[in-house]
Amino acid sequence: MDPQLLPSGVIFGLSIGSIYFTMAIGLSLCFGLMRIISLDQLLYYSLGGYITYSFGVVTGSVWLGMVGGTMVAAVVALAVERLVFRRIYEREITFSMITSFGVLIGGIGVIQFFWGVVPRPVAVPMMTQLNVLGTEVPVYRLVVIGVAALVYAGIWVFLNRTITGKAIRAGIENVEHVEGLGINVSRLFTLTFVIAGALSGLAGGLHAPLIMVYPQMGLEVLAFVFMVVIIGGLGSIKGTLVSALIVGQVVSLGSLVYAPLAQMAPFAAMLLILLVRPTGLFGSALLKR
Amino acid sequence: MTASDAILNVSDLNVAYGESKVLFGVGLRVAPSAIVACVGRNGAGKTTLLKSIAGFVKPRSGTVSFGGTDLVGRASYDIAKLGVKYVPQDKKVFSDLTVRENLELGSYSTQDYDWERVYGYFPKLRQLLDRKAGYLSGGERQMLMIGRAILGRPQVLLVDEPTEGLAPSIVTHLKDVFRDLSSSTALVIVEQNLPLVCAISSKVYALKEGHIVAELSRGESITVDACERYL
Ligand SMILES: Nc1ncnc2c1ncn2[C@@H]1O[C@H](COP(=O)(O)OP(=O)(O)OP(=O)(O)O)[C@@H](O)[C@H]1O
Ligand SMILES: [Mg+2]
């Protein structure tokens, strides 16, 4: 491996990890609080990408497109929560997995109906390059990393400094006790789901200029995002961050060493970590409710 | 006592988990500022009774009337907001949250930040404010659970085996707290500690295999012997 490629490889990995993190954080919260596996988040990710594309074409600003993508994803997530998840929170986890997979597949069909099957390119909103340790790095990737850092800070402040966030943390431990204090838990569920949907949409919007939008784009990242959630430890915010950073680097640096490693190495890393820590890096036995 | 004197009036409550019936035509009446105890062996249905009142378990039939409002069918958070709060048996505080955050959640719906009152009952909580609740001892957890529940000044407090597994000094402390609380809050206490029950209750219901088999009132026969006869 050429050492000249290392700085850009690290930044490439950080930006990929940032996108995985932005998605995985919502999935992790949804699992922690509602005990659901919400595969439909991958649909909001794809929608975020497509809306970014279309708004970008219409308004001429990909940034505006990302804002729109985030908002549309939040609205669709709200509708799905009301119409679908409301009815199945009480059921087994596997039930949510199957149902949400149905929503995802159905949603992909809707995307194909509106946008067709041909991949669409999304313009990178800023073409500037920055010199980092002797290599040119696209500034857009740094922006992606910055956005993810803001998401982390925002979620941290929300969960630790607002009463609603504290109720969500409490609910991750014990929903019934939260309810017993007079707190409407189903509102917390809706809020958490919509936040997750919005973040998925944002992740899709941020990712769109780096890939191309296509109907199955959600399925492509599915494995990686779930890997991040599992390595981090279900329901842990800090764990999700650390594991997103690890997975991002493994994908990026792995591909520098030997291209097919980008696909394989993260799975190997996950298996290794789970062998040592079966609950993930920051997962606690606490969550075995 | 007539039905209208009671702040909480449970009548003909039937509860089942799936096919297995747990409560059979249970009734109880709680006067304002009374301490009503419910005793019974393990599995008699005591927790089920409190949970049915608090809305965590949906009864098959029967009524739970709280100051004229029917509680059956209401969501548990709604019942807690109305002023009927349940302190669970498991002593599970939110262990990843600090004591302060646990108390804040007790104030969530009512915006009652009268924590001084809580410290009045449990001075120790003031020193523990910034500690993660997971690190508290069993006694401290129980103080936190009760402290959290009395924020918002509930009119009825349903307390499930509060002294289970606690040191005698804490049991004595809780006894005083319950006596004092009862001037403003009616208490329904499920308890196995019969001497404690007899010391503070104005009425005792004995529950056996889901049936109320005795109702002992103050002045008549609230003694340990009398209670034991019905277990
Ligand atoms: N969620 C549940 N599903 C099915 N059966 C239950 C459930 N909870 C309790 N039971 C059964 O209902 C009966 C009454 O249980 P309950 O917990 O109300 O008793 P209890 O008097 O509180 O006992 P303990 O003194 O052990 O706390 C028991 O036979 C118990 O096995
Ligand atoms: Mg019990």
Side-chain angles (χ1 to χ4, degrees):
Chain A
M1 177 177 115
D2 182 357
Q4 271 298 101
L5 293 175
L6 195 62
S8 63
V10 168
I11 285 173
F12 182 86
L14 277 175
S15 62
I16 292 293
S18 295
I19 286 161
Y20 293 160
F21 169 77
T22 305
M23 281 211 66
I25 191 79
L27 276 166
S28 190
L29 281 177
C30 284
F31 176 80
L33 185 64
M34 291 93 95
R35 297 296 136 120
I36 55 166
I37 292 176
S38 171
L39 293 168
D40 53 325
Q41 296 296 330
L42 282 313
L43 173 65
Y44 314 137
Y45 159 86
S46 312
L47 262 181
Y50 269 100
I51 299 290
T52 299
Y53 162 76
S54 287
F55 275 34
V57 169
V58 172
T59 65
S61 162
V62 174
W63 297 121
L64 268 183
M66 288 177 192
V67 173
T70 306
M71 290 188 329
V72 170
V75 171
V76 175
L78 175 66
V80 171
E81 201 268 349
R82 285 285 155 96
L83 295 172
V84 181
F85 279 95
R86 274 285 159 95
R87 297 160 211 266
I88 63 171
Y89 283 134
E90 305 279 304
R91 309 247 195 147
E92 291 279 312
I93 284 183
T94 42
F95 201 89
S96 68
M97 212 166 134
I98 295 163
T99 310
S100 62
F101 193 67
V103 173
L104 172 59
I105 297 302
I108 290 175
V110 174
I111 286 177
Q112 286 177 345
F113 177 80
F114 283 109
W115 283 282
V117 293
V118 183
R120 310 291 179 107
V122 177
V124 179
M126 49 201 307
M127 300 303 283
T128 338
Q129 303 269 331
L130 195 75
N131 193 308
V132 176
L133 298 172
T135 25
E136 294 285 304
V137 176
V139 171
Y140 179 67
R141 289 207 180 256
L142 299 177
V143 171
V144 169
I145 296 166
V147 170
L150 284 179
V151 166
Y152 178 79
I155 291 283
W156 191 91
V157 168
F158 172 62
L159 290 177
N160 291 283
R161 293 284 179 269
T162 71
I163 188 71
T164 309
K166 289 170 191 178
I168 289 174
R169 276 162 60 219
I172 288 175
E173 287 193 40
N174 193 323
V175 168
E176 197 172 284
H177 287 196
V178 172
E179 191 137 33
L181 294 175
I183 301 171
N184 186 345
V185 166
S186 94
R187 282 217 196 116
L188 296 181
F189 282 17
T190 306
L191 179 65
T192 303
F193 196 89
V194 170
I195 290 175
L199 290 177
S200 297
L202 175 62
L206 287 171
H207 209 180
L210 300 175
I211 49 176
M212 267 198 241
V213 295
Y214 55 102
Q216 282 81 17
M217 62 189 276
L219 297 175
E220 189 88 353
V221 291
L222 187 145
F224 292 102
V225 169
F226 272 85
M227 208 181 307
V228 167
V229 176
I230 291 166
I231 293 177
L234 291 162
S236 162
I237 311 306
K238 204 196 287 170
T240 306
L241 177 67
V242 172
S243 91
L245 293 177
I246 293 175
V247 171
Q249 291 309 324
V250 171
V251 169
S252 167
L253 299 183
S255 72
L256 285 184
V257 176
Y258 174 55
L261 272 184
Q263 299 292 322
M264 273 156 48
F267 288 93
M270 175 173 81
L271 287 177
L272 275 178
I273 290 170
L274 291 185
L275 275 179
V276 185
R277 288 192 61 98
T279 54
L281 292 174
F282 290 80
S284 63
L286 229 175
L287 280 173
K288 291 188 199 121
R289 186 159 63 191
Chain B
M1 185 171 77
T2 63
S4 56
D5 293 333
I7 182 152
L8 187 72
N9 195 344
V10 176
S11 69
D12 204 22
L13 203 65
N14 291 289
V15 180
Y17 294 107
E19 289 296 295
S20 78
K21 290 189 179 164
V22 177
L23 295 182
F24 303 85
V26 167
L28 58 95
R29 276 183 195 162
V30 183
S33 48
I35 300 185
V36 170
C38 176
V39 298
R41 288 181 186 277
N42 290 346
K46 306 179 297 295
T47 297
T48 305
L49 173 58
L50 296 190
K51 284 194 171 180
S52 312
I53 298 171
F56 291 107
V57 173
K58 304 284 166 236
R60 286 280 159 87
S61 63
T63 57
V64 176
S65 152
F66 165 63
T69 316
D70 190 7
L71 299 185
V72 173
R74 283 181 183 264
S76 48
Y77 76 87
D78 205 17
I79 294 175
K81 262 174 145 172
L82 284 172
V84 179
K85 280 209 176 143
Y86 172 59
V87 180
Q89 182 173 1
D90 59 16
K91 299 191 180 52
K92 277 195 196 137
V93 289
F94 303 122
S95 55
D96 196 40
L97 275 63
T98 61
V99 168
R100 188 195 305 276
E101 289 173 327
N102 271 271
L103 289 173
E104 279 172 0
L105 290 179
S107 319
Y108 188 99
S109 60
T110 48
Q111 308 272 311
D112 176 349
Y113 295 99
D114 187 5
W115 295 7
E116 288 301 324
R117 178 157 165 268
V118 174
Y119 305 147
Y121 287 118
F122 305 112
K124 193 151 187 210
L125 289 182
R126 194 199 292 269
Q127 285 131 46
L128 297 171
L129 276 181
D130 291 313
R131 185 165 307 178
K132 282 220 171 151
Y135 295 124
L136 301 186
S137 71
E140 291 160 351
R141 282 173 199 226
Q142 189 59 275
M143 293 179 199
L144 180 53
M145 300 209 43
I146 295 172
R148 199 167 72 179
I150 62 178
L151 284 163
R153 298 173 184 274
Q155 285 174 273
V156 177
L157 200 59
L158 310 166
V159 199
D160 202 347
E161 308 218 11
T163 69
E164 196 184 19
L166 299 187
S169 63
I170 299 170
V171 175
T172 312
H173 180 178
L174 287 178
K175 181 162 82 182
D176 296 338
V177 169
F178 290 145
R179 273 211 182 106
D180 206 87
L181 265 179
S182 70
S183 65
S184 57
T185 304
L187 294 162
V188 181
I189 302 182
V190 161
E191 190 47 78
Q192 309 255 18
N193 179 339
L194 295 181
L196 171 76
V197 164
C198 295
I200 61 173
S201 316
S202 50
K203 191 154 45 159
V204 177
Y205 288 94
L207 194 62
K208 191 170 190 175
E209 290 161 11
H211 299 269
I212 298 278
V213 290
E215 178 180 337
L216 311 175
S217 302
R218 172 114 356 262
E220 294 164 38
S221 50
I222 302 190
T223 62
V224 172
D225 282 347
C227 293
E228 264 174 352
R229 214 173 303 141
Y230 296 103
L231 291 185

